[in-house]
Amino acid sequence: MTEPSPLDLTRASYDTVAADYAVLLADELADKPYDNAMLAAFAGLVTTGGGGPVGDLGCGPGRVTAVLRDLGLTAFGIDLSPGMIAVARQTYPDLDFAVGSMSALDVADDSLAGALAWYSLVHTPPEQLPRCFAEFHRVLAPGGHLLMAFKVGDGCVRLERAYGHAVTLDVHRFAPDAVAGMLVKAGFRVQARLVREADKREKTPQALFLMVKPETAREPA
């Protein structure tokens, strides 16, 4: 019998916890001024650049997709978990959501004005990050912006229970300098890096990176 892949385990775990996850984290951004400031900066840059579609990649139950909408963006969500997408569609019927993988996005080249990866890479092993970053770069239009948030540190923690359910989830922590290097290698230019201390519900510092896909023709030689 074939053992389930890490991707299958992640999908199954989030299908299991989807409804409770959405309730437990509904107000998660309420007391996070730095996180909200980076989301607002991202929205401002996308809007100033002329706007366009923005993908919330790994959107979960859609709560941050809705934040992007409230910030004036034309946002849609993609998530690996059909259970999460079902919750998102029920909660935010005015927004578009689809099942998909960040490592193989069903999105046209150069078509997005912005992309958000809000803690959605925490279950991705470090060696697989470059593939996701290459996909983000592919789907963003020149001049498009990427905002990502992740947990700072080294190594991986295995969760066997979360949000009131049995799960099998590997949670990875990343070194900011290493992530920045991968992003630059993928073709991005880092515009801002914010590392903040953990709040009362977190176990590690948190990093928020804001990047741009350069408009090559305008870049200096």
Side-chain angles (χ1 to χ4, degrees):
M1 184 175 178
T2 305
E3 290 293 323
S5 70
L7 202 66
D8 291 334
L9 291 170
T10 299
R11 181 188 296 109
S13 293
Y14 277 108
D15 283 347
T16 298
V17 306
D20 289 321
Y21 179 103
V23 171
L24 290 168
L25 295 184
D27 63 347
E28 191 258 345
L29 282 170
D31 57 353
K32 292 187 174 180
Y34 298 109
D35 299 35
N36 284 295
M38 288 293 274
L39 285 164
F42 169 71
L45 287 166
V46 171
T47 301
T48 301
V54 174
D56 182 0
L57 309 178
C59 64
R63 61 189 174 81
V64 186
T65 321
V67 170
L68 297 180
R69 174 203 59 199
D70 294 344
L71 289 168
L73 300 181
T74 304
F76 66 93
I78 295 174
D79 199 87
L80 180 69
S81 162
M84 284 290 196
I85 291 298
V87 171
R89 287 172 174 165
Q90 181 177 15
T91 309
Y92 307 104
D94 58 319
L95 294 174
D96 291 328
F97 296 98
V99 176
S101 171
M102 289 183 293
S103 62
L105 293 165
D106 186 16
V107 177
D109 294 358
D110 303 328
S111 63
L112 300 186
L116 178 72
W118 196 256
Y119 294 101
S120 52
L121 292 166
V122 296
H123 307 301
T124 304
E127 64 272 15
Q128 295 179 18
L129 290 178
R131 180 176 178 180
C132 293
F133 293 161
E135 274 293 272
F136 298 169
H137 189 272
R138 178 185 67 78
V139 300
L140 277 170
H145 292 85
L146 168 67
L147 176 62
M148 64 176 292
F150 58 94
K151 301 175 184 294
V152 174
D154 296 304
C156 172
V157 175
R158 168 63 64 92
L159 296 183
E160 296 182 345
R161 190 163 186 84
Y163 313 109
H165 297 272
V167 297
T168 304
L169 288 170
D170 288 333
V171 180
H172 296 272
R173 300 164 178 173
F174 307 122
D177 286 345
V179 172
M182 293 181 201
L183 288 162
V184 170
K185 190 171 182 179
F188 288 101
R189 176 162 50 83
V190 181
Q191 293 180 300
R193 293 172 53 174
L194 187 156
V195 177
R196 63 168 179 78
E197 293 304 311
D199 69 17
K200 60 185 178 182
R201 292 176 292 185
E202 297 165 343
K203 296 180 180 179
T204 70
Q206 311 290 305
L208 299 99
F209 278 17
L210 184 55
M211 283 78 63
V212 65
K213 177 178 175 177
E215 298 183 60
T216 306
R218 300 182 185 179
E219 289 293 299

